[in-house]
Every structure is written in C-alpha cells, then in structure tokens.
Amino acid sequence: MNVEAYARLLPDITAANKPFWDGCAAGELRLQTCTECDTHRFPDGPTCPNCLSRSHTWQTVSGTGTLWSWFTMHQKYFPAFADEIPYLVAYIKLSEGPFMISSLVDPPAELELDQPVRAVFGPDATGRPIVRFTVEPVEPVEPASGAVTR
Amino acid sequence: MIAKDVAIVGVGSSNFHELYAEKDASRDPYGLAADALREALDDCGLGKNDIDGLLCTNLKYGRMGDVIGLRNPKFVHDLEGTGRMSGVSLQEACAIVQAGLADVVAVVYATVGRSVGMKYGGEDGGPTTAYDTMYGMTSTGAYVSLMYQRYRKMYGVPEDALAPLAINNRYNGARNPRAVFQREIDHAEYIGSRFIAEPLRKLDYCIINDGAVAFIVTSIDRARSMRKKPVRIAGTAGMAELNNHYTSPDFYFAACRGVADRLYKETGLGPDQIDCMQVYDNFLPTILFTLEGFDHAPKGSAWEWVADGTIGPDGSRPLNTSGGHTSESYMQGFALHVEAVRQLRGEAGDRQVRGCRTVQYMCASPIVTSHIFTID
C-alpha cells in the first residue's frame, strides 16, 4: 500500500461527518437518521431523501447487511492500490437500506449473492479506524426471488 | 415525446482511426468540434449562420461560440461530458425546435480524453466519492462489473457470455473506415483478454479516444429543402435513475421499461419493427441490460438472445453496426446517433443494413433515453 497516495483518497473528516468516523473508532456503524421519518442515509447528506427534513440524529445501526455484489480489480488505476492488485471491492446493502462500497476481511474463495455480512472495524494503512465487512456462513436457503431455475 | 415534425439533416464526425493512431498529438477539442460541425453543415447544405441554436457537450458554450464565430444563437448552453447526455441533447434539440425557441439546432460534442490521459470516474466524482475510492473503487466500469457479477450469478451466465457482443462489435468495426479497431476477433481472443475489473475484460471496455461529433436538427418542413433525405425522430423518451453510485438494483430495468413503454406507445412501433439497434455500450454488459429493459430480449436471457445471430449484420436486428464504443470509438453515444442517420440514408458502405427504415437508439445509464428514427 502506498500510504501517502492512499491518505489522499480518504474522505476529509468534517463537522458534518465526524459522528460516522467517531463510530468507526468506537467499533460501531453510525448513520444519519431522520428525526421525522426515521429514514437512514449514507453517506452523510444535508437533508432526508425521503421527507426532505433537515433534522437528523446519528444512530448506531445493526452493522449487518448482505453482499449485493463484488468485483476483483486487476488494473493499476489508483497509485495507492498499485501493490494491492488484484484486490476485491464489495458492494454491501445495509440492513437499514443504504448501499456501501467496502472491502471484505478474509473473504472465502467462493462468495454468494446476498450472503449475510457484518461490519468490522479496524485501522487502515494510515491508522484511521474504518469499517470493512466480514461474510457470515451461508445457511441453506430457498433460491432468491428473481432467480431463474434452468 | 412525439417529434415527427423534427429531423436530423446533417451529421459529421472525426476520423477516429486517424486520431487514435497518433497518440501523442496535442489537440484542441474546440477545433475537433468545429471540424465535425463543418462536415455536418456540408452534409445538409446549410451555412454556419443558419444555426440559431447550439447545444454543447463536454465543451463550454462561450468558448465554442467564440471559436466558430457564432455570436447570437437564440438558445445555447452546455452539458457535462457524460455518455447519458447524447440522448438528452437530441431530446433538447427536438423540444427547442418544436417550441420555436430556435429553428436550426447544432449539437456538438468533442473529447480529447485519450491524449490528455483522462480517467473516467474515480477521484473526479462527486463529494461522496471518497467513501468509495478509499476502498479502491474506481470508475464506471467497476460499477458495471458489480452489476454484471450479480446478473451472472442470478441467471447462471457462463464466463464467455459477452463474447458474441465483443465479436459482433469488432466485426462491424472492421467494416467502418473511421473505426479505431478494424480487425475482427474470435472467441479464443476474447476469452484470452485480460481482466480489468473482473468479471469484465479489456475487450468488454470502450475505447477512450479523441474525437468529435456534430449533428444538425431542424423542422421537417425546412428539412425537405436540404441536400439529403431527412431522418425523422419518430419519438423519444427518457427517465432517470439517480443515486449515489453508478449502479441500479435492477440493472436499470424499470427505468428502461418505463422509457420503452412510452416510446413504443407514442410511435406505434415496437421491437419487432426495429431494423437496426444502436445501443450505448460503455461496457458490454450494458447491452444486455438494455436489450432486456427495452423488451428486445427476455429478462435474464439477453446473453442467449445475442448469441444466435440476431444481432449480426444479416440478422433481424443488427446491433452497433459502426462497431460501437468498443471498436469505433468512445464518443459517449454521439457517434451512435450519427451511425443511425447513416444507416437510414443508406450511407453505411460495407456495413449497410439492407432495407433499413427504423433505427432505435437506447442508453441504459443514470439517465435512460431512447429514440426511434425513421426515414420516408
């Protein structure tokens, strides 16, 4: 990891998003939550996308979700990640609704759609606590709706 | 909207092959745009001073107006340099002409993406992009890769499912003298192509290049006095799907279907009446999502539908006859509009679709658009 280049990719910590980063440091996933309609949002935004209320609190949420999809990057693109190739990027659907780009800690060789995941917290290459996800064992389930039997 | 009384009368585009061959050139996008505009004006027989509406994409309107000496257009503005804007700009041109805000609208686009080493997506995204880039999330191709991975798993799609699309585009590119890549590929070459954002391979990606495109839009009454047969916009429709990422939980299906329903109803035309398809193909999976959303192929099996020859030059619905973005050049949808016009006029040379009377442009993206073009 090119730490200097990676540091430039990180979001600035601002007054508006500091509770999220404080949550990461405390080992909790905290999201903005609308005080009028309870809609969660990520990343932080100026208004509730559901009811347009400007009023929100920060709530600690479940930290659970599902693996919507993933890909493996083989191309050098960001200098920060040049030494990490190939690396996996995951797209997580949080149980509370919002989607997050993240990475998986020690992913198994075979991944499944909609596999349960759980947020885990730890320092990145710069020492900043960040959220990643770990996949939970898959329980045998019926095929997901929308799947086609062939 | 039904735009039967509006037509494209002139088209122009760069020689993408020549521009690609000379990599280290320093090029002015406004100069490239002016070249394409001059070709479009020659194509229809109009002069520069006949233009009274100017829609610029990836170009600043003030600089464009100054460069081409167009001082007093009645309607002018610019649009961001994203692929979704090609369909939007034609929609605007139609609306402007129909509303009488201007009579002759020039739509111009240019990019020097290759010679300046432009990267799409990534660090130059919106204010929330850093939450993604910190995990190594890169560009639009990576988002399409996420969607395609899910699509593959949902529908049991094999690893080589995009090969027919890659092979088709290259076959068509080999018959387009302006295309960047004019060499056919086979299945083995496709499957040997290296991964970029796996499951996407290099041959699934569009070709970043320099180049420009222009077209001239006016009323059908005025169009009848031009050099060539006017290409009518039988209808056009759009619907956005806007969120924080370049992805859609249903691969843009509902948005595409919403556009398709209106377009087919208003024009009285449907997939079976389309002679040629121009599909926005930033990355090849987008074609599958588009064909399903616009009801050309059954949901979940477009990858099978494209494998049986239907989309080939002699099939019932030839696709991306110029080579598309993966062979002709990535001109963000604009050159696909020009190809639609050339096909309808019978000007497509070795890649001409026989008896081509209707062409559909489709773009599945955060702004879904589609038009159906016809010729008298």
Side-chain angles (χ1 to χ4, degrees), chain A residues 19-24 27-42 55-63 94 96 98 121:
Chain A
F20 172 81
W21 297 106
D22 288 346
C24 289
E28 292 180 349
L29 188 62
R30 295 176 187 169
L31 299 183
Q32 277 182 327
T33 307
C34 177
T35 49
E36 293 188 34
C37 75
D38 290 330
T39 299
H40 298 282
R41 60 187 190 259
F42 176 84
S55 174
H56 71 269
T57 59
W58 284 86
Q59 287 189 5
T60 298
V61 297
S62 66
L94 298 176
E96 291 77 12
F121 299 86

Side-chain angles (χ1 to χ4, degrees), chain A residues 6 9 17 42-44 68-72 74-75 77-78 81 87 89 91 101 113-114 130-131 150, chain B residues 119-120 123 131-132 134-138 142 145-146 149-150 153 155 194-198 244-245 247:
Chain A
Y6 168 75
L9 297 179
N17 68 24
F42 176 84
D44 60 285
W68 192 86
S69 192
W70 65 94
F71 71 93
T72 305
H74 291 261
Q75 175 86 352
Y77 190 92
F78 294 128
F81 286 85
Y87 63 89
V89 178
Y91 197 46
I101 292 288
L113 289 188
D114 304 319
I130 65 167
V131 59
R150 294 192 167 276
Chain B
K119 287 185 173 179
Y120 291 79
E123 287 155 311
Y131 284 96
D132 309 329
M134 63 178 277
Y135 295 104
M137 185 65 189
T138 54
S145 181
L146 286 175
Q149 178 95 282
R150 186 172 177 88
K153 292 271 181 186
Y155 300 116
R194 68 187 174 90
F195 285 122
I196 304 292
E198 185 184 354
N244 187 43
H245 297 116
T247 187

Side-chain angles (χ1 to χ4, degrees), chain A residues 117-131:
Chain A
V117 294
R118 182 170 50 80
V120 292
F121 299 86
D124 67 8
T126 68
R128 185 197 291 203
I130 65 167
V131 59

Side-chain angles (χ1 to χ4, degrees), chain B residues 271-291:
Chain B
D272 290 341
Q273 284 83 49
I274 301 301
D275 296 329
C276 177
M277 307 186 292
Q278 301 297 329
V279 175
Y280 182 80
D281 53 350
N282 47 359
F283 310 93
L284 293 180
T286 306
I287 299 177
L288 302 182
F289 306 152
T290 305
L291 294 178

Side-chain angles (χ1 to χ4, degrees), chain B residues 170-220:
Chain B
R170 295 295 172 119
Y171 181 93
N172 290 336
R175 283 145 187 82
N176 176 4
R178 298 194 197 206
V180 169
F181 279 97
Q182 300 183 17
R183 185 175 64 77
E184 295 180 35
I185 60 165
D186 60 14
H187 185 272
E189 184 169 350
Y190 173 78
I191 212 72
S193 173
R194 68 187 174 90
F195 285 122
I196 304 292
E198 185 184 354
L200 293 192
R201 300 166 187 281
K202 189 162 189 286
L203 286 172
D204 299 324
Y205 272 62
C206 60
I207 298 167
I208 305 298
N209 191 15
D210 297 354
V213 178
F215 43 87
I216 313 283
V217 177
T218 191
S219 65
I220 192 72

